[in-house]
Amino acid sequence: MALPTLALPGTLLGPASSYAPGPGTHMHEAAVYASVAGEVVTAPSPNPATTKLPLLSVTPPRARSFNDNSPNVLPEVDSHVLARITRLGARFASADILVIAPSSASDLAADATVCTTPFGAQIRREDIRATEKDKVTIQDSFRVGDLIRAVVISLGDQGGYYLSTAKNELGVVVARGDDGDVLVPVSWKEVRDMRTGKGEARKVAKPF
């Protein structure tokens, strides 16, 4: 398979038999995935004595400035976004929108714009999943610090935005444990620390 030029968290980059995971990536089930959004870069193996596989990494993009000649990019209904969870409540989770792709974008990675200033947003409990909404709990869906892929469903009160993760491809794309290790998805509702074997509940986004 051909390497993508840009990637979002969760993007499949290539088989572990052909590439060694580098900064901004992680390995899961014999494949290398992006852990951050950015440009996909390959480099010769830094230690040929250990492995001759090229090093595959993802370099985060430099934030675009809205002070140049390009127009401001604002979230709109149906925009796909990457956001970081900042607070958990009983009925909603608060988040900061970090990356925006317009509703007309055909490729989220290629058309995304990095926000210089995050936009505040909320995810209501009823907007987390499409089914069994009465069984959803915020604490079993997200944790503070999670990076999520979501879609804007409406302009909320006082300039905030309402997001939804109620599709298979939406949800948590990067989660970390208490010790900072990246947690790997093992199902649509669980991530796991592959070093310790400890599992945690999440509403996981289906990988690309």
Side-chain angles (χ1 to χ4, degrees):
M1 60 177 291
L3 281 176
T5 56
L6 295 174
L8 292 174
T11 300
L12 173 62
L13 301 179
S17 58
S18 301
Y19 302 99
T25 72
H26 66 274
M27 191 165 64
H28 176 54
E29 293 185 348
V32 181
Y33 290 84
S35 298
V36 299
E39 181 182 2
V40 179
V41 179
T42 58
S45 172
N47 189 358
T50 302
T51 178
K52 291 182 169 55
L53 295 177
L55 188 69
L56 187 58
S57 59
V58 178
T59 303
R62 180 180 63 85
R64 297 184 186 179
S65 172
F66 290 151
N67 295 323
D68 56 18
N69 295 326
S70 62
N72 287 4
V73 177
L74 298 174
E76 58 185 18
V77 174
D78 292 333
S79 293
H80 282 247
V81 301
L82 290 179
R84 179 174 289 115
I85 300 296
T86 57
R87 187 164 64 91
L88 302 179
R91 296 195 57 82
F92 65 88
S94 298
D96 284 340
I97 297 174
L98 306 177
V99 178
I100 305 167
S103 56
S104 59
S106 59
D107 186 339
L108 180 57
D111 297 312
T113 297
V114 180
C115 304
T116 55
T117 302
F119 295 95
Q122 291 185 354
I123 308 172
R124 297 169 296 194
R125 189 175 66 178
E126 58 267 29
D127 296 324
I128 293 175
R129 279 180 16 204
T131 60
E132 298 184 321
K133 296 182 180 183
D134 57 323
K135 297 182 180 180
V136 174
T137 64
I138 299 294
Q139 288 73 21
D140 285 343
S141 303
F142 310 115
R143 299 288 175 88
V144 172
D146 285 351
L147 189 65
I148 65 167
R149 186 187 304 127
V151 64
V152 178
I153 56 174
S154 71
L155 176 64
D157 300 329
Q158 299 179 349
Y161 295 88
Y162 285 137
L163 307 179
S164 171
T165 58
K167 291 183 179 179
N168 290 343
E169 68 271 21
L170 304 177
V172 175
V173 291
V174 176
R176 293 185 181 274
D178 295 335
D179 55 3
D181 288 347
V182 174
L183 305 180
V184 176
V186 293
S187 74
W188 68 268
K189 60 181 179 179
E190 184 184 359
V191 292
R192 186 173 299 168
D193 187 324
M194 303 309 290
R195 181 174 58 85
T196 65
K198 179 183 178 182
E200 296 184 11
R202 293 289 200 284
K203 197 290 182 183
V204 178
K206 182 179 179 180
F208 286 103

